Amino acid sequence: MPKTNGLSRRQRFRELIMAPDMLILPGAWDGLSALLIEQAGFDGVYVTGGGIARSSGVPDIGLITMSEQVARIRMICEAVAVPVLADADTGYGNAINLMRAIREMEAAGASGVHIEDQVTPKRCGHYEGKEVVEQREFLQKIEAACDARQDDDFVIIARTDARAVLGLDEAIERGKGSVKAGADVMFVEAPQTVEEIQRIADEIDAPLLLNMVAKGGKTPYVPTADLERMGYNI
């Protein structure tokens, strides 16, 4: 793992997550877009599964395979020196499939991944018609992901899409359960109001990621300074 200021990229990623200033990770889908993000001065890159799907000419409905995703992640990690957070979707199947996905993405150079609780194949987090697995199955997958990593500094982020399917209460419960299961960061996808964004921060005691989509997303735009005050980290 390349070093940044004496730290590995994964150690640097953990340091940035816990820093007072919010870590902003623009989405990249190939080496060139990642380079532009790095050259613009950002401290990290997010490998967006939706971006990879759309850049391949297909909708974000689970059509990209694990091998295709890993190839893009490797390309991006080789193109930049900053930490890279990768979208691992649902892990491409059950807990056993997920364990292989974790090892492949770790070997590709990613500093961390996020794993979601949708059924396989998944849909974009801001599309209608999503379905989620049972909470118990999701928490078992988070435990499996933590067990599968080879480097303890590799960051596991748990993402729940339950807000759209089962409501915010269930999403928060899954968030709390994911932290107990070993997740380093919690990501509740597509809260629909500023009040919901605040409630997530108030009730989940862990580093938090918020995803905002520029056009057509369900989550309202909240300025970075406001998110920092609420308690968000990424």
Side-chain angles (χ1 to χ4, degrees), residues 12-215:
R12 176 62 175 155
F13 188 41
R14 286 184 174 270
E15 181 181 74
L16 289 166
I17 290 170
M18 301 310 298
D21 295 334
M22 174 169 283
L23 174 60
I24 301 174
L25 299 176
W29 52 90
D30 62 9
L32 177 58
S33 56
L35 274 170
L36 292 173
I37 290 166
E38 182 180 53
Q39 290 173 5
F42 291 95
D43 290 320
V45 172
Y46 170 57
V47 182
T48 158
I52 289 174
R54 295 178 185 102
S55 73
S56 302
V58 298
D60 186 14
I61 53 173
L63 298 175
I64 300 299
T65 65
M66 182 190 73
S67 59
E68 291 172 316
Q69 188 84 349
V70 168
R72 293 287 189 101
I73 293 165
R74 182 174 289 108
M75 176 194 299
I76 289 168
C77 290
E78 290 175 353
V80 299
V82 294
V84 174
L85 170 62
D87 183 351
D89 286 343
T90 63
Y92 307 94
N94 62 22
I96 302 300
N97 301 111
L98 170 61
M99 292 177 78
R100 182 179 177 217
I102 293 294
R103 290 176 180 173
E104 292 284 345
M105 292 182 180
E106 190 174 358
S111 295
V113 297
H114 71 68
I115 305 136
E116 65 201 62
D117 58 356
Q118 286 195 51
V119 300
T120 301
K122 54 75 57 86
R123 298 174 64 82
C124 170
H126 294 260
Y127 286 175
E128 299 294 338
K130 297 187 293 183
E131 297 179 64
V132 294
V133 299
E134 294 291 331
Q135 183 178 150
R136 182 170 177 270
E137 179 180 346
F138 178 51
L139 299 183
Q140 288 174 337
K141 290 178 80 170
I142 296 301
E143 291 174 352
C146 294
D147 289 342
R149 61 185 163 189
Q150 304 294 295
D151 183 347
D152 288 341
D153 287 319
F154 187 75
V155 174
I156 302 295
I157 300 176
R159 163 181 155 174
T160 179
D161 286 72
R163 163 63 186 90
V165 183
L166 302 171
L168 187 61
D169 288 346
E170 175 65 18
I172 289 172
E173 283 303 307
R174 290 182 182 221
K176 294 176 179 177
S178 296
V179 175
K180 290 180 181 178
D184 300 299
V185 178
M186 190 60 218
F187 169 13
V188 176
E189 176 68 302
Q192 297 183 13
T193 66
V194 174
E195 290 74 23
E196 289 187 0
I197 294 169
Q198 181 68 72
R199 186 180 162 201
I200 291 163
D202 290 342
E203 297 192 26
I204 299 177
D205 184 16
L208 298 172
L209 181 153
L210 185 70
N211 178 35
M212 290 186 290
V213 179
K215 292 185 179 180

